Amino acid sequence: MVAGLLLVTGGAAAGVFGALLGLGGGILIVPLLTLGFGLPLREAVAVSLVSVIVTSSAAASVYLQRSTANLRLGMSLELFTASGALCGGLLAYAIPERVVAGLFAALLAYTAFSMIRRREPAPPAAAGAAAGTRATPGAGDPPSPAPAAASVADRPSVADRLSGPGYRVRNLPAGIAGALFAGVVSALLGVGGGIVKVPVMNLGMGVPLRVATATSNLMIGITASSSAIIYLLRGGIDPYVAGPTAVGVFVGASVASRLAHRVDVRILRLLFVVVVAYTAYEMLGKALA
Amino acid sequence: MSASQAAGGPGPGAAHERRLERAVGRLLSLGTLAGVVLLAIGVAGMLAAGLAPLTTVAPALDLARLAADLAALRPEGFLWLGVAVIIATPSARVATALVGYGLEGDRRMVGIAVAILGVIALSVAVAMATGA
């Protein structure tokens, strides 16, 4: 009973942290289950994928109803994230857990580093995109030509068809490569892969940051389910662990979305960086043990 | 259909796209809620029965037993069904988009949706063929 409640509480904490800092829960759930509860890394990854699908589906439903996510672009790229996740799911059973632990330590270190470097989000007025309207480019977005030239063409190109109001998708091959890599990372490490997809879409493809974040969330569901199926059918998911963790993450993320405007994210981010850096050190120890 | 219409500009294509996005969003919302409610019932049953995660050996997924487990209100039935619903929800979203784009006559997006579902089917086949 105590272990069940601890899993719910731990999942809720991961959900709160993840939602407030704009991360999927996976980056916190995997270390929580391996270092905190002693679960084998592969099982922790499988449980994390279930939780990641819950949070991404919940968030994507809101983004779609507000037209923030680009459904066409998301579906076009998720074909490749799903393919990458299929390969990653098979790879996870082929490589030693120590290697996976080492890769996870590197991912944690990179996440902590990017959290330190992250700029404060632009105020809503500056971002110029109210909830309930289609997203437009905001502060911090790379210059991206509007699709005006494309719309006069009789037969719009693939990139034109995937573009949105105020921005034109470019460099599709880079997006495809990034999506494939994100899929492998997601399946292997039990994370959403947004840490790869968002920069690729935003900086590489000219998609505004808000749209890239929302579209990445949409894609995570299919990406994670492609590999979760492999873990599920190979007996890699423990329902007694997945249930309490996923419920906790869902509750935590829901609470956080209502608390977001009352919390000083700078302090939270500092705390997160310390926790993640320590977790990276512990994971590295596991890899080298 | 022009790019501006597809992306949200004026025109019947854009209105169809908005309807499709809303339908897909509602499906994701419903699927997530259903999955989480099933998991919550399973967790409550698990705690009430004194089953300790991490030390109790989890029952394997057995589709033939699922209905009997649910009828007997066994926690593992609700937990497995919840996990299955959550994992299936994104695929259901792609299937809904496939129908929507099919009605719109957008063959490219229909092809992409079919290909995504093909990758998911391949995941199932590969996992079953190489299972533990």
Side-chain angles (χ1 to χ4, degrees), chain B:
Chain B
M1 182 182 59
S2 74
S4 61
Q5 284 174 341
H16 187 276
E17 189 86 1
R18 286 287 296 122
R19 278 198 301 275
L20 180 60
E21 283 174 354
R22 277 198 291 266
V24 168
R26 276 195 299 271
L27 179 95
L28 281 176
S29 183
L30 267 175
T32 307
L33 199 61
V36 170
V37 166
L38 285 164
L39 287 181
I41 294 170
V43 170
M46 193 179 93
L47 295 176
L51 293 168
L54 305 164
T55 52
T56 309
V57 177
L61 173 62
D62 182 357
L63 292 176
R65 274 192 51 189
L66 195 58
D69 283 343
L70 289 169
L73 302 179
R74 277 192 279 271
E76 55 266 32
F78 291 96
L79 290 170
W80 277 129
L81 188 60
V83 168
V85 167
I86 283 165
I87 292 178
T89 295
S91 300
R93 182 260 289 174
V94 175
T96 306
L98 191 157
V99 173
Y101 285 123
L103 292 172
E104 196 181 346
D106 189 333
R107 281 185 290 182
R108 190 188 301 268
M109 289 309 295
V110 167
I112 287 171
V114 169
I116 294 168
L117 293 175
V119 173
I120 298 292
L122 189 62
S123 290
V124 174
V126 167
M128 289 176 84
T130 60

Side-chain angles (χ1 to χ4, degrees), chain A residues 54-195:
Chain A
V54 169
T55 49
S56 82
S57 293
S61 72
V62 177
Y63 286 134
L64 278 170
Q65 294 190 51
R66 291 181 180 174
S67 281
T68 312
N70 184 334
L71 183 61
R72 283 170 187 270
L73 177 62
M75 285 185 62
S76 302
L77 291 181
E78 74 189 358
L79 173 59
F80 300 96
T81 57
S83 304
L86 170 57
C87 299
L90 294 173
L91 205 60
Y93 282 91
I95 61 175
E97 284 208 359
R98 285 173 56 185
V99 176
V100 180
L103 291 172
F104 206 98
L107 177 72
L108 286 167
Y110 174 73
T111 306
F113 180 68
S114 56
M115 272 287 162
I116 293 169
R117 287 187 57 200
R118 186 181 283 191
R119 285 172 294 174
E120 288 302 314
T133 59
R134 276 196 172 269
T136 52
D141 293 328
S144 179
S151 62
V152 297
D154 290 328
R155 290 175 64 84
S157 69
V158 174
D160 295 333
R161 285 172 179 273
L162 301 179
S163 300
Y167 66 94
R168 183 169 185 272
V169 168
R170 54 178 156 82
N171 207 0
L172 205 53
I176 289 171
L180 268 171
F181 179 63
V184 175
V185 170
S186 168
L188 209 55
L189 304 180
V191 297
I195 202 156

Side-chain angles (χ1 to χ4, degrees), chain A residues 187-206:
Chain A
L188 209 55
L189 304 180
V191 297
I195 202 156
V196 176
K197 282 178 281 188
V198 174
V200 165
M201 278 192 274
N202 182 230
L203 302 174
M205 300 176 72

